[in-house]
Amino acid sequence: MNPDLPPRDDCGDHLAEVQYTLPTALEAFHDLYVKAYLNYAYTMLGDKEAAIAVVRRCFSHLALNWAQVIRGESPEAYAWALLKARVDTHLRLAGKSSRMVETAAFQRTARAALESVRCQFEVMETSLGLYTAIASLPERQYDVIVLLHVLGYPSDRVARIMGVKRDTVRSHRRLARRRIAKKLGLPQSMAADDDKE
C-alpha cells in the first residue's frame, strides 16, 4: 500500500473497523493525482497538516466507494469534485476562507526573494493584486488558473486532474485571462491565449 494513503487505523472512529484492500487501479490513480491534490489543498487551506488530512479523507472515501466511482463517466471528475467539496467543508467548519491569495502570494514572493532580494516588495504587491483577481474568478476558471499558473501543471495534466477535455481547459484559461486583465485594468491584448504548451 502506498505510504501516502491513510493507514487503516487512521480513518477516524467511524472507519476503524472497516478493513479494505486497495484495488490496483486505485493505487495507480492515487500515484497519478495525490501530489496535485495535496498541492491544491495546501494552496487553498494554507496548512500542510490540514491539506494532508483532507486528501487522506478523499482517498479513504474513494477506497470505500471505488467500485461505484469507476462505473461513473469520469473518476477524475468525481475525485476532483470530492476534493473541492472536502476543502470547502474544512474551511467552513474551521470558520475560515480560502488561503489561496496569501499562500500563493507567499510562495511567489519567496521564489522572487531568492532571485532578487531588492525586488521582493514590488513582486509581492503585484502578486497580491493578481491573486486577488484570480480569487474572484468563477469556479472552473479559478481551478484552471490555480492548477496552471499557481501550481504550474501543464494543460494536459490539468485536464486529467479535473476530468475534463484539454479544449475545456483552454477555454476556461482564455476566459479567465480576459477577466483578470479587465480586473487589473490591463489591455485585452495582454489576455491573449497562447498555445505554446
Side-chain angles (χ1 to χ4, degrees):
M1 180 167 22
N2 192 308
D4 291 327
L5 284 172
R8 289 187 183 123
D9 60 351
D10 191 29
C11 295
D13 293 337
H14 61 286
L15 297 177
E17 293 81 35
V18 176
Q19 298 293 315
Y20 57 87
T21 303
L22 292 181
T24 305
L26 178 56
E27 285 195 37
F29 186 93
H30 174 272
D31 292 344
L32 279 173
Y33 300 114
V34 70
K35 184 174 180 184
Y37 289 8
L38 285 167
N39 287 337
Y40 179 84
Y42 173 70
T43 299
M44 296 302 118
L45 301 173
D47 178 338
K48 184 179 177 181
E49 295 305 315
I52 291 169
V54 165
V55 172
R56 282 186 175 181
R57 284 193 298 274
C58 284
F59 278 99
S60 292
H61 175 89
L62 290 172
L64 294 171
N65 297 284
W66 189 244
Q68 291 83 16
V69 171
I70 60 172
R71 282 195 295 259
E73 188 175 318
S74 172
E76 291 85 356
Y78 178 90
W80 181 251
L82 175 66
L83 173 67
K84 289 179 58 62
R86 296 288 172 119
V87 166
D88 289 344
T89 299
H90 182 88
L91 288 169
R92 195 171 52 256
L93 291 175
K96 297 179 179 178
S97 58
S98 172
R99 305 300 296 173
M100 191 281 296
V101 173
E102 296 87 349
T103 304
F106 175 78
Q107 290 171 340
R108 172 106 184 239
T109 301
R111 285 193 303 267
L114 291 175
E115 293 170 15
S116 174
V117 174
R118 67 183 169 80
C119 295
Q120 184 175 0
F121 292 110
E122 180 182 325
V123 169
M124 187 152 87
E125 183 179 330
T126 302
S127 295
L128 285 172
L130 173 62
Y131 292 124
T132 300
I134 291 171
S136 70
L137 291 170
E139 181 180 5
R140 293 298 213 146
Q141 292 173 21
Y142 174 84
D143 291 346
V144 165
I145 294 300
V146 167
L147 289 167
L148 282 171
H149 299 293
V150 176
L151 298 177
Y153 293 107
S155 293
D156 289 339
R157 180 89 169 124
V158 172
R160 287 192 307 272
I161 289 168
M162 292 179 64
V164 298
K165 296 181 187 289
R166 189 169 189 268
D167 289 342
T168 302
V169 170
R170 187 178 300 124
S171 175
H172 287 310
R173 179 180 61 199
R174 183 176 53 254
L175 293 171
R177 285 180 176 178
R178 287 181 186 156
R179 285 178 185 257
I180 291 169
K182 184 176 181 180
K183 183 138 182 128
L184 296 176
L186 301 173
Q188 287 298 312
S189 61
M190 293 192 74
D193 200 32
D194 58 19
D195 292 323
K196 297 177 185 173
E197 295 178 47

